[in-house]
Amino acid sequence: MNAYLVGGCVRDKLLGVPVKDRDWVVTGSTVEDMLANDFSPVGKDFPVFLHPKTHEEYALARTERKSGVGYVGFTVHASPEVTLEEDLARRDLTINAMAETDSGDIIDPFNGQQDLKDRLLRHVSPAFIEDPVRVLRIARFAARFNFQIADETQVLIKQMVDGGELEHLVAERVWQELSKALQTPQPSIFFTSLRQVGALRVLFPEVDRLFGVPQVPKWHPEIDTGIHVMMVIDQAANLTEDITVRFASLCHDLGKGITPKHILPKHTGHEASSIDLTQRLCERLRVPKELTTFALKVAEFHTDVHLLFELPAERALQVMEGLDCFRRPERFEQFLLAGEADFRGRPGYETVEYPEKRVFAECYTKASEVNAHQFVEAGMKGEEIKTAMHTARIEVIDDILSQYRK
Ligand code: ATP
Ligand code: MG
């Protein structure tokens, strides 16, 4: 039996980035051999085992053939005769189709090392078109490493898109890849890469539609909404690792894609559509509940951060209550980060002071210091306490805001 390190770990080592998990391919071996050597079987669809000590994954070398529609219809063939090169040939990208021997030699039949140097994502074989998940993966790798998609691979992907292949993707896989893409340093590249090959329109039509929609002239000099949203998600990625904030940043302006032109120049007016489209996107992709709830709140309230110095104190309090942030303080922090990313996601605003964030935080701190205690002491009960707290909170907020109103 021969074992080789393969795939992502070889790629990441050559790139000099931290290796997450190490995967192995085994040639010249059978399921029985593996079991006799105390490996434990884990594969459902093909023979994969865990090493008895390291618990790393060892897969028997295999070939795959398309046998049905979508990305599930594959016939797997694993046997001791399948060579390492044959196993590498079934992989998606040249940079993912390299192996390393135990003496440290790189086996690279598809010139993955050259593509790593050239920062190119290139398909291994025409069989690339057999699995639409690869379209999402390639866009995600583009965002993760800031690589380009090779021209001939773009041609293949366009064929897949035109052939309706992406319609076979299931929600779970789309969300899985989207959530990983949102964890990359520059998530915008995931979307712009998909757009470049015509896949954004199919996979995320509500994002695609933002391109070409002009922004409010006063606030967003000379850019369209698509570019703005791309800048916002990169700013969010810059400000926080929190995928809740990053996902909300993606959704915050979705409504602008379907808002009538006469409403767009006003500051507000797209929120109802943004909420609606965010809701539908989250249902379609089965986005986790907490991320959905927060994205909906940001779609509803993000304009209020920017308009803070024009807001009545009642509205500022309504935003805090709407976010449920007296019970969940982390929510307000996340909300302000999403607001900041929105503010910074415009050319020229990347490093400008944003006092609204600081002042809104101050309003929140003071408002949360108002508690039931003093009103209970004064002999109030039930509804009466609630009303008194509400009034007291508005007062402290108004005290702060009145210093900043023009
Ligand atoms: P990551 O660091 O995100 O895990 P990875 O390249 O290791 O990246 P995995 O999903 O762990 O990705 O897959 C391991 C390897 O299996 C890949 O490097 C690639 O060779 C192969 N592979 C994974 N998914 C596919 C696919 N859909 N089509 C072809 N090959 C694939
Ligand atoms: Mg991996």
Side-chain angles (χ1 to χ4, degrees), residues 34-47:
M34 298 301 283
L35 296 177
N37 282 300
D38 293 333
F39 280 79
S40 28
V42 285
K44 204 160 35 85
D45 306 318
F46 38 79

Side-chain angles (χ1 to χ4, degrees), residues 8 20-21 23:
K20 269 193 309 179
D21 20 57
D23 296 322

Side-chain angles (χ1 to χ4, degrees), residues 63 80 120-121 141 154 181 192 199 208 264 326 330:
T63 58
L120 277 177
L121 301 161
F141 285 121
Q154 291 194 31
T192 51
D208 189 60
L264 270 179
F326 292 115
E330 78 285 357

Side-chain angles (χ1 to χ4, degrees), residues 79 82 208 215 224 248 290 295 384 392:
S79 82
V82 176
D208 189 60
Q215 275 286 32
D224 80 30
E290 175 58 24
E384 217 184 346

Side-chain angles (χ1 to χ4, degrees), residues 9 66 85 87 163 183 197 238 297 333 346 391:
C9 61
K66 179 88 161 170
E85 282 74 11
D87 182 284
Q183 288 163 50
V197 293
N238 202 22
K297 299 287 178 200
E333 223 158 286
R346 297 170 295 162
T391 310

Side-chain angles (χ1 to χ4, degrees), residues 204-216:
F204 307 104
E206 49 286 90
V207 179
D208 189 60
R209 223 176 280 136
L210 299 176
F211 288 89
V213 175
Q215 275 286 32
V216 179

